[in-house]
Every structure is written in C-alpha cells, then in structure tokens.
Amino acid sequence: MTSPLIHGYEVVIGFETHAQLSTQSKIFSRASTAFGAEPNTQACAVDLALPGTLPVMNKGAVERAIRFGLAIGAHIAPRSIFARKNYFYPDLPKGYQISQYEIPVVQGGSVSFYLGDQKKTVRLVRAHLEEDAGKSLHEAFHGMSGIDLNRAGTPLLEIVTEPDIRSSAEAVAYAKELHKIVTWIGICDGNMQEGSFRCDANVSVRPRGTDKFGTRCEIKNLNSFRFLERAIEFEARRQIEVLEDGGTIEQETRLYDPERDETRSMRSKEEAHDYRYFPDPDLLPLAISADWIVEVKAGMPELPQAKRGRFMRDFGLTAYDAATLTSSRELAAYFEATVAALGGEPKLCANWVMGDVAAALNRDGLDINEAPVSAAQLAGLLRRLGDGTISGKIAKEVFDALWHG
Ligand code: ADP
Ligand code: MG
C-alpha cells in the first residue's frame, strides 16, 4: 500500500472463501451441478426441502473436504455436525441453509506462500461443508427479479482464515495460493467467472503499533484477483478517511462495484445469533473413520510446496523457476515429462518451458494441456540441440514449425 493516507495505519484482513466442490451431483441430492442449464431445470424436491423429502449426504463432497484438510495440515474431525442457518431471502425459499456451525469437518491448518522471497503463513480457523442457495436474476425481468434455483444444494467448502493478512498484496497472494491448492488437489474447478471460487474479504484498519483490531467490514463480489486487490485498497482508504474525520466504522457487509471501483454498503452485518442455528434433525452426525482418511491420503498428488522444494533440491532450479513451474499441476507435469524424456538437463528444459513454450501459449491463448508440441517432442528437439546437431537459432525455427505444424 503506497498511498500517503495509509501511512500510520495497518490494514488487517481475514478471508472467507467459498470453493464449489467439483461433484457431479448436489451435496444432499441426485440433481446435477452442471453450470449453465436452463433456469430451474436442475433443482429437485430435496434441494427445495419440499415436505416429505430427506437430504442424503454426498460422499464425494466429504472426500473432497478430507483432501483439503490433508493438503493444509488441518485436523479432520472424526465426527462433525450439520446445522440449519435460518434466514429468509428470495433465492432461499426453504428458509434455511444447511451448513456446519459448532463442529466443522476441517479444523485449523494453514496456507503458506511467498511474497518476493518473504515466506508468509496464514492460519486457517476452519473449513466447513454447506449447500449453496439459488441465484436472483436482475436482467430481462422489467423491474422485477427472476429466481434460478439450479444452484440450490450445490456443495461448497467455506474456508475461513484468522485475520492474519496485512496488505492487499498479501491478500492476493493468499487467494492465489488457495486457488492453486483447491484446483491442484482436484476438489474445485476454480472458475471465478462462474462463481466456483468466491472470496469475501473482511477488512479493518488500526493505528500502527496498536494491538486491538478495528471494526471490520465484509466485502463481497470479488470475482477476480484484480478486483480483490482494488476493493481492499479502496476499503482501507475509506475506513482511514472515516477515522481521520473523527467518525467510527460500522460493521457491515459491502459490495464491490468494479465499474466505479468502490465499495458500497449492502446491509448491516448480522450476528450469528440472528440465524438461530440448530443441528439439522434430518442429518446424522458426519462420521469420518481413520481408515478413510488413510485411504484418501494415499490418493493425494504431490502438493505444490513439496514439488517446488523437490525441483530446487533435485533439479537445482532457483526458487523463482521452481515457483513458476509449479504454478499449476499441468505445467509441472509437462516440465517433468520433458526432463524425463530427455533424461536430464532440467535447467535447459525449464528455460524452454518458461520461455518459448510459455510465450507461444500466451500468444495463442492456450492452456499447457492444449500445447501442440508435446513434452516428448520438446525433449526430442532439446536432444538435437544438446548434442550439437542443431544450433539454438535452428532449434527455435524447428520449435515454431512443430507448434504450427
Ligand atoms: P462471523 O462469525 O461474524 O462471520 P468470524 O469470527 O467468523 O465472524 O470472522 C469472519 C472473518 O472475519 C474471519 O476470516 C476473520 O479472520 C475475519 N475477521 C475477524 N475480525 C476481523 C477484524 N477485526 N479485521 C479483519 N478481519 C477480521
Ligand atoms: Mg463466519
């Protein structure tokens, strides 16, 4: 944060992130979770809690919560409880959301990342399973709103941090790292435009050197990393201005408006007791056996931090190169396949993957798994380069020809 106004204040941020779990069916019903269907064609009687229906736990959603807990070093509760969170809103006609309150499935854990060469660790409070609500549609209804209940009952993992974050840059780095973890372990598709990964940032400010936290505001609607950064910067400045003018901060929920680049008050913040949480009488406690955890653990991929460390140790890559090559699981796999096919020379492979391959992907708007040059082809090219059959200049020409071939 560079504004002179921010000088003398410290920003404090905690995150609540909703990651949509990538199951085919809903958290308590057999209805499909596929995105983009005709409104109200994918909500069944259970999703609407019609009389006489009963929710049935989706095992795939629980398994994904366990994977997440293992990835962040959390405690996985052997027994957790579903609760009803009661409120009325047009997109929630049943009048309550099934969530977890007192005993969540994932407890504690942490997420670490680098800002430059500074390591930062953010502690997590919890991650709990819950169902999503429907969606209000405000366009094309001439002064009225439409309701699409397809999203009702979609499985979510709500991931809550301690207020450990101290700048918008740290906030973005945390959100990116969390996004990488959930996509890496295959529990969430991470599509922010479609709402699969939604961040709410709780922001407060306090005079530098004091240790009591200020009153926080929760900012919603942060569906890109850039908006997240801008919203936090705007909100911190707004709060400081209020305090400097002798005012006080009201605890409230605010909405970020990307068009005007500002946050606006949406509603005053409700307290937990307003929701009248109580254990859902339709659902048994969620029991997770130690054996199941062992089984899930055995199926986990190598995690980004571990892979990054191994690339530095075994391949002699710099911290920067190792971080770049582990920015996604697919990119890391492509790089490792190239090294394996070439039988060594990891530094040469890294330079080509981060250089020519990345540039061509970028130019053509492609993902690494759509690269027209396979890892084996790249290795073949690098072998000719390494044994002096072709020069660096020719290698680039051959690469282009292969790419466009
Ligand atoms: P609630 O139950 O009202 O949602 P929580 O205690 O669960 O409140 O906190 C919600 C989020 O707000 C957490 O991510 C937490 O880290 C963050 N938070 C709490 N107090 C502050 C504060 N003073 N400033 C910034 N973030 C905060
Ligand atoms: Mg909360």
Short mmCIF file of all heavy atoms in Angstrom, two decimals, residues 144-200:
data_model
loop_
_atom_site.label_atom_id
_atom_site.label_comp_id
_atom_site.label_asym_id
_atom_site.label_seq_id
_atom_site.Cartn_x
_atom_site.Cartn_y
_atom_site.Cartn_z
N MET A 144 -38.59 -6.39 -12.29
CA MET A 144 -38.78 -7.47 -11.33
C MET A 144 -37.51 -8.33 -11.32
O MET A 144 -36.63 -8.13 -12.14
CB MET A 144 -39.97 -8.34 -11.72
CG MET A 144 -41.30 -7.59 -11.65
SD MET A 144 -42.69 -8.64 -12.08
CE MET A 144 -42.52 -8.76 -13.84
N SER A 145 -37.43 -9.26 -10.39
CA SER A 145 -36.29 -10.17 -10.38
C SER A 145 -36.78 -11.58 -10.65
O SER A 145 -37.88 -11.95 -10.24
CB SER A 145 -35.59 -10.14 -9.01
OG SER A 145 -34.94 -8.91 -8.85
N GLY A 146 -35.94 -12.36 -11.32
CA GLY A 146 -36.24 -13.77 -11.51
C GLY A 146 -35.41 -14.58 -10.53
O GLY A 146 -34.41 -14.08 -9.99
N ILE A 147 -35.84 -15.80 -10.24
CA ILE A 147 -35.06 -16.67 -9.35
C ILE A 147 -34.73 -17.96 -10.10
O ILE A 147 -35.62 -18.60 -10.66
CB ILE A 147 -35.87 -17.07 -8.09
CG1 ILE A 147 -36.44 -15.83 -7.38
CG2 ILE A 147 -35.00 -17.90 -7.15
CD1 ILE A 147 -35.44 -15.02 -6.62
N ASP A 148 -33.44 -18.29 -10.09
CA ASP A 148 -32.99 -19.56 -10.67
C ASP A 148 -32.48 -20.43 -9.53
O ASP A 148 -31.51 -20.07 -8.85
CB ASP A 148 -31.87 -19.29 -11.69
CG ASP A 148 -31.29 -20.58 -12.26
OD1 ASP A 148 -31.85 -21.65 -11.98
OD2 ASP A 148 -30.27 -20.48 -12.98
N LEU A 149 -33.15 -21.55 -9.32
CA LEU A 149 -32.77 -22.40 -8.18
C LEU A 149 -31.82 -23.54 -8.55
O LEU A 149 -31.56 -24.42 -7.74
CB LEU A 149 -34.04 -22.94 -7.50
CG LEU A 149 -34.85 -21.82 -6.82
CD1 LEU A 149 -36.24 -22.30 -6.42
CD2 LEU A 149 -34.11 -21.28 -5.61
N ASN A 150 -31.29 -23.51 -9.77
CA ASN A 150 -30.36 -24.58 -10.16
C ASN A 150 -29.18 -24.72 -9.20
O ASN A 150 -28.69 -25.81 -8.97
CB ASN A 150 -29.80 -24.32 -11.57
CG ASN A 150 -30.79 -24.67 -12.65
OD1 ASN A 150 -31.84 -25.26 -12.36
ND2 ASN A 150 -30.48 -24.30 -13.87
N ARG A 151 -28.71 -23.61 -8.68
CA ARG A 151 -27.53 -23.65 -7.82
C ARG A 151 -27.85 -24.14 -6.40
O ARG A 151 -26.95 -24.45 -5.62
CB ARG A 151 -26.91 -22.25 -7.77
CG ARG A 151 -25.42 -22.26 -7.59
CD ARG A 151 -24.83 -20.87 -7.65
NE ARG A 151 -25.39 -19.99 -6.63
CZ ARG A 151 -25.07 -18.72 -6.47
NH1 ARG A 151 -24.20 -18.15 -7.28
NH2 ARG A 151 -25.62 -17.98 -5.52
N ALA A 152 -29.15 -24.17 -6.05
CA ALA A 152 -29.54 -24.60 -4.69
C ALA A 152 -29.03 -26.01 -4.43
O ALA A 152 -29.27 -26.91 -5.22
CB ALA A 152 -31.05 -24.55 -4.53
N GLY A 153 -28.32 -26.19 -3.33
CA GLY A 153 -27.84 -27.51 -2.97
C GLY A 153 -26.50 -27.88 -3.58
O GLY A 153 -26.00 -29.00 -3.39
N THR A 154 -25.88 -26.96 -4.31
CA THR A 154 -24.53 -27.21 -4.83
C THR A 154 -23.56 -27.27 -3.65
O THR A 154 -23.64 -26.44 -2.75
CB THR A 154 -24.14 -26.07 -5.81
OG1 THR A 154 -25.04 -26.11 -6.90
CG2 THR A 154 -22.71 -26.22 -6.30
N PRO A 155 -22.64 -28.25 -3.64
CA PRO A 155 -21.74 -28.36 -2.48
C PRO A 155 -20.66 -27.29 -2.44
O PRO A 155 -20.01 -27.01 -3.45
CB PRO A 155 -21.09 -29.74 -2.66
CG PRO A 155 -21.22 -30.06 -4.09
CD PRO A 155 -22.42 -29.33 -4.61
N LEU A 156 -20.51 -26.69 -1.28
CA LEU A 156 -19.47 -25.68 -1.07
C LEU A 156 -18.60 -26.07 0.11
O LEU A 156 -19.07 -26.71 1.06
CB LEU A 156 -20.10 -24.32 -0.74
CG LEU A 156 -21.07 -23.70 -1.73
CD1 LEU A 156 -21.62 -22.38 -1.14
CD2 LEU A 156 -20.39 -23.43 -3.06
N LEU A 157 -17.34 -25.68 0.04
CA LEU A 157 -16.47 -25.73 1.20
C LEU A 157 -16.18 -24.27 1.54
O LEU A 157 -15.62 -23.55 0.71
CB LEU A 157 -15.18 -26.49 0.87
CG LEU A 157 -14.29 -26.84 2.06
CD1 LEU A 157 -14.98 -27.84 2.98
CD2 LEU A 157 -12.95 -27.42 1.59
N GLU A 158 -16.60 -23.83 2.73
CA GLU A 158 -16.28 -22.46 3.14
C GLU A 158 -15.02 -22.49 3.98
O GLU A 158 -14.96 -23.16 5.01
CB GLU A 158 -17.43 -21.81 3.93
CG GLU A 158 -17.01 -20.42 4.38
CD GLU A 158 -18.11 -19.58 5.06
OE1 GLU A 158 -19.30 -19.86 4.85
OE2 GLU A 158 -17.74 -18.64 5.79
N ILE A 159 -14.02 -21.75 3.52
CA ILE A 159 -12.68 -21.80 4.11
C ILE A 159 -12.40 -20.46 4.80
O ILE A 159 -12.40 -19.41 4.15
CB ILE A 159 -11.63 -22.07 3.00
CG1 ILE A 159 -11.97 -23.37 2.26
CG2 ILE A 159 -10.22 -22.11 3.58
CD1 ILE A 159 -11.39 -23.46 0.86
N VAL A 160 -12.22 -20.49 6.11
CA VAL A 160 -12.13 -19.26 6.90
C VAL A 160 -10.74 -19.08 7.50
O VAL A 160 -10.23 -19.99 8.15
CB VAL A 160 -13.18 -19.28 8.04
CG1 VAL A 160 -13.17 -17.95 8.81
CG2 VAL A 160 -14.57 -19.57 7.51
N THR A 161 -10.13 -17.91 7.30
CA THR A 161 -8.80 -17.66 7.87
C THR A 161 -8.89 -16.88 9.17
O THR A 161 -9.89 -16.22 9.46
CB THR A 161 -7.90 -16.81 6.93
OG1 THR A 161 -8.32 -15.43 7.01
CG2 THR A 161 -7.95 -17.30 5.50
N GLU A 162 -7.83 -16.92 9.95
CA GLU A 162 -7.63 -15.96 11.03
C GLU A 162 -7.33 -14.61 10.37
O GLU A 162 -6.91 -14.56 9.20
CB GLU A 162 -6.42 -16.38 11.89
CG GLU A 162 -6.58 -17.69 12.63
CD GLU A 162 -7.48 -17.59 13.85
OE1 GLU A 162 -7.97 -16.49 14.17
OE2 GLU A 162 -7.69 -18.64 14.50
N PRO A 163 -7.51 -13.51 11.10
CA PRO A 163 -7.20 -12.19 10.49
C PRO A 163 -5.68 -11.97 10.46
O PRO A 163 -5.15 -11.08 11.12
CB PRO A 163 -7.91 -11.20 11.41
CG PRO A 163 -8.15 -11.91 12.69
CD PRO A 163 -8.15 -13.38 12.42
N ASP A 164 -4.98 -12.74 9.66
CA ASP A 164 -3.50 -12.74 9.64
C ASP A 164 -2.91 -11.96 8.48
O ASP A 164 -1.70 -11.84 8.37
CB ASP A 164 -2.99 -14.20 9.50
CG ASP A 164 -3.09 -14.97 10.81
OD1 ASP A 164 -3.36 -14.35 11.85
OD2 ASP A 164 -2.87 -16.20 10.78
N ILE A 165 -3.75 -11.45 7.58
CA ILE A 165 -3.26 -10.82 6.35
C ILE A 165 -3.14 -9.31 6.58
O ILE A 165 -4.00 -8.71 7.22
CB ILE A 165 -4.21 -11.17 5.19
CG1 ILE A 165 -4.18 -12.70 4.99
CG2 ILE A 165 -3.83 -10.44 3.91
CD1 ILE A 165 -5.32 -13.24 4.15
N ARG A 166 -2.04 -8.71 6.05
CA ARG A 166 -1.73 -7.32 6.41
C ARG A 166 -1.64 -6.34 5.23
O ARG A 166 -1.25 -5.19 5.43
CB ARG A 166 -0.41 -7.26 7.20
CG ARG A 166 -0.47 -7.92 8.57
CD ARG A 166 -1.35 -7.12 9.54
NE ARG A 166 -1.46 -7.79 10.84
CZ ARG A 166 -2.41 -8.68 11.14
NH1 ARG A 166 -3.33 -9.00 10.24
NH2 ARG A 166 -2.46 -9.25 12.33
N SER A 167 -1.93 -6.78 4.03
CA SER A 167 -1.92 -5.84 2.90
C SER A 167 -2.72 -6.44 1.75
O SER A 167 -2.98 -7.65 1.73
CB SER A 167 -0.49 -5.56 2.43
OG SER A 167 0.04 -6.72 1.83
N SER A 168 -3.07 -5.60 0.77
CA SER A 168 -3.80 -6.12 -0.38
C SER A 168 -2.92 -7.09 -1.17
O SER A 168 -3.41 -8.06 -1.74
CB SER A 168 -4.29 -4.97 -1.27
OG SER A 168 -3.20 -4.20 -1.70
N ALA A 169 -1.60 -6.83 -1.19
CA ALA A 169 -0.69 -7.74 -1.91
C ALA A 169 -0.68 -9.12 -1.25
O ALA A 169 -0.72 -10.15 -1.93
CB ALA A 169 0.72 -7.15 -1.95
N GLU A 170 -0.63 -9.15 0.09
CA GLU A 170 -0.69 -10.44 0.79
C GLU A 170 -2.03 -11.12 0.54
O GLU A 170 -2.10 -12.34 0.40
CB GLU A 170 -0.51 -10.24 2.30
CG GLU A 170 0.92 -10.05 2.74
CD GLU A 170 1.05 -9.98 4.27
OE1 GLU A 170 0.09 -10.35 5.01
OE2 GLU A 170 2.11 -9.54 4.72
N ALA A 171 -3.09 -10.31 0.48
CA ALA A 171 -4.43 -10.87 0.26
C ALA A 171 -4.50 -11.58 -1.08
O ALA A 171 -5.00 -12.70 -1.20
CB ALA A 171 -5.49 -9.78 0.36
N VAL A 172 -3.97 -10.94 -2.11
CA VAL A 172 -3.97 -11.54 -3.45
C VAL A 172 -3.11 -12.80 -3.46
O VAL A 172 -3.51 -13.83 -4.01
CB VAL A 172 -3.47 -10.54 -4.52
CG1 VAL A 172 -3.29 -11.22 -5.86
CG2 VAL A 172 -4.45 -9.38 -4.64
N ALA A 173 -1.94 -12.73 -2.83
CA ALA A 173 -1.05 -13.89 -2.80
C ALA A 173 -1.72 -15.06 -2.07
O ALA A 173 -1.63 -16.22 -2.50
CB ALA A 173 0.28 -13.53 -2.14
N TYR A 174 -2.42 -14.77 -0.97
CA TYR A 174 -3.14 -15.82 -0.25
C TYR A 174 -4.21 -16.44 -1.14
O TYR A 174 -4.32 -17.67 -1.28
CB TYR A 174 -3.78 -15.28 1.04
CG TYR A 174 -4.84 -16.22 1.58
CD1 TYR A 174 -4.48 -17.38 2.26
CD2 TYR A 174 -6.20 -15.98 1.33
CE1 TYR A 174 -5.44 -18.28 2.70
CE2 TYR A 174 -7.17 -16.87 1.76
CZ TYR A 174 -6.79 -18.02 2.44
OH TYR A 174 -7.75 -18.92 2.86
N ALA A 175 -5.02 -15.57 -1.76
CA ALA A 175 -6.14 -16.07 -2.58
C ALA A 175 -5.62 -16.91 -3.74
O ALA A 175 -6.20 -17.95 -4.08
CB ALA A 175 -6.99 -14.91 -3.08
N LYS A 176 -4.51 -16.49 -4.36
CA LYS A 176 -3.94 -17.26 -5.46
C LYS A 176 -3.42 -18.61 -4.99
O LYS A 176 -3.58 -19.62 -5.67
CB LYS A 176 -2.80 -16.47 -6.15
CG LYS A 176 -3.32 -15.33 -7.01
CD LYS A 176 -2.18 -14.70 -7.80
CE LYS A 176 -2.75 -13.70 -8.80
NZ LYS A 176 -1.70 -12.83 -9.37
N GLU A 177 -2.78 -18.62 -3.83
CA GLU A 177 -2.25 -19.87 -3.31
C GLU A 177 -3.39 -20.84 -2.97
O GLU A 177 -3.33 -22.03 -3.29
CB GLU A 177 -1.38 -19.61 -2.06
CG GLU A 177 -0.64 -20.83 -1.55
CD GLU A 177 0.42 -21.36 -2.54
OE1 GLU A 177 0.97 -20.57 -3.31
OE2 GLU A 177 0.69 -22.58 -2.50
N LEU A 178 -4.44 -20.30 -2.34
CA LEU A 178 -5.59 -21.16 -2.00
C LEU A 178 -6.23 -21.71 -3.28
O LEU A 178 -6.59 -22.89 -3.35
CB LEU A 178 -6.61 -20.36 -1.19
CG LEU A 178 -7.81 -21.15 -0.67
CD1 LEU A 178 -7.35 -22.19 0.36
CD2 LEU A 178 -8.86 -20.23 -0.05
N HIS A 179 -6.36 -20.84 -4.27
CA HIS A 179 -6.92 -21.24 -5.57
C HIS A 179 -6.08 -22.36 -6.17
O HIS A 179 -6.60 -23.35 -6.69
CB HIS A 179 -6.95 -20.01 -6.49
CG HIS A 179 -7.61 -20.25 -7.81
ND1 HIS A 179 -6.93 -20.69 -8.91
CD2 HIS A 179 -8.91 -20.13 -8.21
CE1 HIS A 179 -7.76 -20.82 -9.93
NE2 HIS A 179 -8.98 -20.48 -9.53
N LYS A 180 -4.76 -22.21 -6.07
CA LYS A 180 -3.87 -23.23 -6.61
C LYS A 180 -4.06 -24.56 -5.88
O LYS A 180 -4.12 -25.62 -6.51
CB LYS A 180 -2.41 -22.77 -6.51
CG LYS A 180 -1.44 -23.78 -7.05
CD LYS A 180 -0.13 -23.16 -7.46
CE LYS A 180 0.84 -23.14 -6.30
NZ LYS A 180 2.10 -22.48 -6.68
N ILE A 181 -4.18 -24.49 -4.56
CA ILE A 181 -4.34 -25.73 -3.79
C ILE A 181 -5.63 -26.46 -4.16
O ILE A 181 -5.61 -27.65 -4.45
CB ILE A 181 -4.31 -25.43 -2.25
CG1 ILE A 181 -2.91 -24.96 -1.84
CG2 ILE A 181 -4.72 -26.67 -1.45
CD1 ILE A 181 -2.83 -24.41 -0.43
N VAL A 182 -6.76 -25.74 -4.19
CA VAL A 182 -8.03 -26.45 -4.44
C VAL A 182 -8.11 -27.01 -5.86
O VAL A 182 -8.72 -28.06 -6.07
CB VAL A 182 -9.29 -25.59 -4.11
CG1 VAL A 182 -9.32 -25.25 -2.62
CG2 VAL A 182 -9.39 -24.34 -4.96
N THR A 183 -7.48 -26.31 -6.83
CA THR A 183 -7.51 -26.86 -8.19
C THR A 183 -6.50 -28.01 -8.32
O THR A 183 -6.77 -29.02 -8.95
CB THR A 183 -7.22 -25.77 -9.25
OG1 THR A 183 -6.02 -25.09 -8.91
CG2 THR A 183 -8.34 -24.77 -9.33
N TRP A 184 -5.36 -27.84 -7.68
CA TRP A 184 -4.29 -28.85 -7.72
C TRP A 184 -4.77 -30.20 -7.19
O TRP A 184 -4.51 -31.24 -7.78
CB TRP A 184 -3.11 -28.34 -6.89
CG TRP A 184 -1.85 -29.11 -7.00
CD1 TRP A 184 -1.60 -30.35 -6.47
CD2 TRP A 184 -0.64 -28.71 -7.66
NE1 TRP A 184 -0.31 -30.73 -6.76
CE2 TRP A 184 0.30 -29.74 -7.50
CE3 TRP A 184 -0.26 -27.56 -8.37
CZ2 TRP A 184 1.59 -29.67 -8.01
CZ3 TRP A 184 1.02 -27.49 -8.88
CH2 TRP A 184 1.92 -28.53 -8.70
N ILE A 185 -5.48 -30.17 -6.07
CA ILE A 185 -5.94 -31.44 -5.47
C ILE A 185 -7.27 -31.89 -6.07
O ILE A 185 -7.86 -32.89 -5.64
CB ILE A 185 -6.03 -31.37 -3.92
CG1 ILE A 185 -7.06 -30.34 -3.48
CG2 ILE A 185 -4.66 -31.09 -3.32
CD1 ILE A 185 -7.27 -30.30 -1.95
N GLY A 186 -7.74 -31.16 -7.07
CA GLY A 186 -8.90 -31.62 -7.85
C GLY A 186 -10.23 -31.58 -7.12
O GLY A 186 -11.12 -32.37 -7.42
N ILE A 187 -10.40 -30.62 -6.19
CA ILE A 187 -11.69 -30.57 -5.48
C ILE A 187 -12.58 -29.45 -6.01
O ILE A 187 -13.76 -29.38 -5.68
CB ILE A 187 -11.52 -30.42 -3.95
CG1 ILE A 187 -10.90 -29.07 -3.57
CG2 ILE A 187 -10.71 -31.59 -3.39
CD1 ILE A 187 -11.01 -28.78 -2.07
N CYS A 188 -12.04 -28.56 -6.85
CA CYS A 188 -12.79 -27.38 -7.31
C CYS A 188 -12.23 -26.99 -8.67
O CYS A 188 -11.02 -27.06 -8.88
CB CYS A 188 -12.58 -26.25 -6.29
SG CYS A 188 -13.18 -24.62 -6.76
N ASP A 189 -13.11 -26.58 -9.62
CA ASP A 189 -12.56 -26.22 -10.94
C ASP A 189 -11.96 -24.82 -10.95
O ASP A 189 -11.31 -24.42 -11.92
CB ASP A 189 -13.60 -26.42 -12.05
CG ASP A 189 -14.74 -25.41 -11.99
OD1 ASP A 189 -14.58 -24.32 -11.39
OD2 ASP A 189 -15.82 -25.70 -12.56
N GLY A 190 -12.19 -24.04 -9.89
CA GLY A 190 -11.53 -22.75 -9.74
C GLY A 190 -12.03 -21.65 -10.65
O GLY A 190 -11.48 -20.55 -10.66
N ASN A 191 -13.11 -21.91 -11.41
CA ASN A 191 -13.60 -20.91 -12.36
C ASN A 191 -14.25 -19.73 -11.63
O ASN A 191 -15.37 -19.84 -11.11
CB ASN A 191 -14.59 -21.57 -13.32
CG ASN A 191 -14.96 -20.66 -14.45
OD1 ASN A 191 -15.09 -19.45 -14.27
ND2 ASN A 191 -15.12 -21.23 -15.63
N MET A 192 -13.56 -18.61 -11.60
CA MET A 192 -14.05 -17.47 -10.82
C MET A 192 -15.21 -16.76 -11.51
O MET A 192 -16.10 -16.25 -10.85
CB MET A 192 -12.90 -16.50 -10.51
CG MET A 192 -11.89 -17.13 -9.56
SD MET A 192 -10.45 -16.10 -9.23
CE MET A 192 -11.06 -15.02 -7.93
N GLN A 193 -15.22 -16.73 -12.86
CA GLN A 193 -16.34 -16.10 -13.58
C GLN A 193 -17.65 -16.82 -13.30
O GLN A 193 -18.69 -16.21 -13.17
CB GLN A 193 -16.10 -16.11 -15.09
CG GLN A 193 -15.33 -14.92 -15.59
CD GLN A 193 -13.84 -15.13 -15.36
OE1 GLN A 193 -13.31 -16.18 -15.70
NE2 GLN A 193 -13.19 -14.17 -14.74
N GLU A 194 -17.57 -18.15 -13.21
CA GLU A 194 -18.79 -18.92 -12.98
C GLU A 194 -19.12 -19.04 -11.50
O GLU A 194 -20.07 -19.72 -11.11
CB GLU A 194 -18.64 -20.33 -13.59
CG GLU A 194 -18.59 -20.30 -15.10
CD GLU A 194 -18.43 -21.69 -15.72
OE1 GLU A 194 -18.41 -22.69 -14.98
OE2 GLU A 194 -18.31 -21.75 -16.96
N GLY A 195 -18.30 -18.42 -10.65
CA GLY A 195 -18.59 -18.41 -9.22
C GLY A 195 -18.13 -19.66 -8.48
O GLY A 195 -18.58 -19.92 -7.37
N SER A 196 -17.23 -20.44 -9.08
CA SER A 196 -16.77 -21.65 -8.41
C SER A 196 -15.80 -21.37 -7.27
O SER A 196 -15.52 -22.24 -6.46
CB SER A 196 -16.06 -22.59 -9.39
OG SER A 196 -16.93 -22.97 -10.41
N PHE A 197 -15.25 -20.16 -7.25
CA PHE A 197 -14.26 -19.80 -6.21
C PHE A 197 -14.55 -18.35 -5.85
O PHE A 197 -14.22 -17.43 -6.59
CB PHE A 197 -12.85 -19.97 -6.79
CG PHE A 197 -11.73 -19.77 -5.81
CD1 PHE A 197 -11.30 -20.81 -5.00
CD2 PHE A 197 -11.08 -18.54 -5.71
CE1 PHE A 197 -10.25 -20.63 -4.10
CE2 PHE A 197 -10.03 -18.36 -4.82
CZ PHE A 197 -9.61 -19.40 -4.02
N ARG A 198 -15.24 -18.13 -4.72
CA ARG A 198 -15.72 -16.79 -4.36
C ARG A 198 -15.08 -16.34 -3.05
O ARG A 198 -15.17 -17.04 -2.05
CB ARG A 198 -17.24 -16.79 -4.20
CG ARG A 198 -17.98 -17.48 -5.33
CD ARG A 198 -19.45 -17.12 -5.36
NE ARG A 198 -20.27 -17.73 -4.33
CZ ARG A 198 -20.94 -18.87 -4.48
NH1 ARG A 198 -20.86 -19.55 -5.62
NH2 ARG A 198 -21.69 -19.35 -3.51
N CYS A 199 -14.47 -15.19 -3.09
CA CYS A 199 -13.79 -14.68 -1.91
C CYS A 199 -14.57 -13.53 -1.28
O CYS A 199 -14.99 -12.61 -1.98
CB CYS A 199 -12.42 -14.12 -2.29
SG CYS A 199 -11.29 -15.36 -2.89
N ASP A 200 -14.75 -13.58 0.04
CA ASP A 200 -15.24 -12.43 0.79
C ASP A 200 -14.08 -11.98 1.67
O ASP A 200 -13.51 -12.79 2.40
CB ASP A 200 -16.42 -12.80 1.70
CG ASP A 200 -17.60 -13.38 0.91
OD1 ASP A 200 -17.68 -13.12 -0.31
OD2 ASP A 200 -18.42 -14.08 1.52
#
